[in-house]
């Protein structure tokens, strides 16, 4: 029995908002060790930047991400600072 190869992954263009926001989420790899949690956070931040989602202060609590080495409130402050740079 064989398996099919995985589907091809299409990466975001370098200057796109999606790429910038997901890069912000990846910057916190040490504090958010689970890849799926970072992806979920990136999606929430993308929705926020488009004006459709919650602010980082609310998002880190509602996304139910596992945080290591810091508190959720400190992480939200750091994320907000990174988003201001965009």
């Amino acid at each position: 029995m064989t398996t099919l190869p995985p589907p091809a992954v299409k990466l975001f263009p370098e200057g796109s908002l999606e790429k910038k926001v997901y890069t912000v989420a990846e910057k916190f790899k040490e504090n958010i060790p689970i890849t799926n949690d970072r992806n979920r956070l990136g999606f929430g931040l993308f929705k926020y930047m488009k004006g459709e989602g919650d602010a980082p202060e609310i998002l880190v609590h509602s996304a139910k991400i596992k945080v290591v080495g810091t508190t959720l409130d400190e992480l939200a402050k750091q994320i907000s600072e990174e988003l201001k740079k965009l």
Side-chain angles (χ1 to χ4, degrees):
M1 184 168 156
T2 62
T3 60
L4 297 174
V9 176
K10 184 177 179 183
L11 300 176
F12 297 120
E14 283 299 318
S16 69
L17 180 62
E18 293 95 342
K19 180 73 170 182
K20 292 175 183 177
V21 172
Y22 277 89
T23 301
V24 167
E26 281 296 317
K27 285 183 181 180
F28 298 99
K29 184 182 271 191
E30 293 178 7
N31 299 112
I32 307 170
I34 301 172
T35 304
N36 195 35
D37 286 351
R38 289 192 304 272
N39 288 336
R40 192 177 323 113
L41 177 65
F43 179 73
L45 293 174
F46 174 66
K47 300 272 289 182
Y48 169 70
M49 294 298 285
K50 285 180 35 180
E52 299 174 1
D54 294 327
E57 292 79 14
I58 299 170
L59 183 63
V60 294
H61 291 284
S62 64
K64 298 181 181 177
I65 56 177
K66 179 182 177 184
V67 177
V68 176
T70 188
T71 64
L72 289 174
D73 294 328
E74 284 296 318
L75 182 64
K77 283 183 191 177
Q78 293 172 352
I79 291 171
S80 293
E81 292 299 317
E82 288 293 325
L83 291 179
K84 288 178 185 175
K85 295 177 186 177
L86 297 180

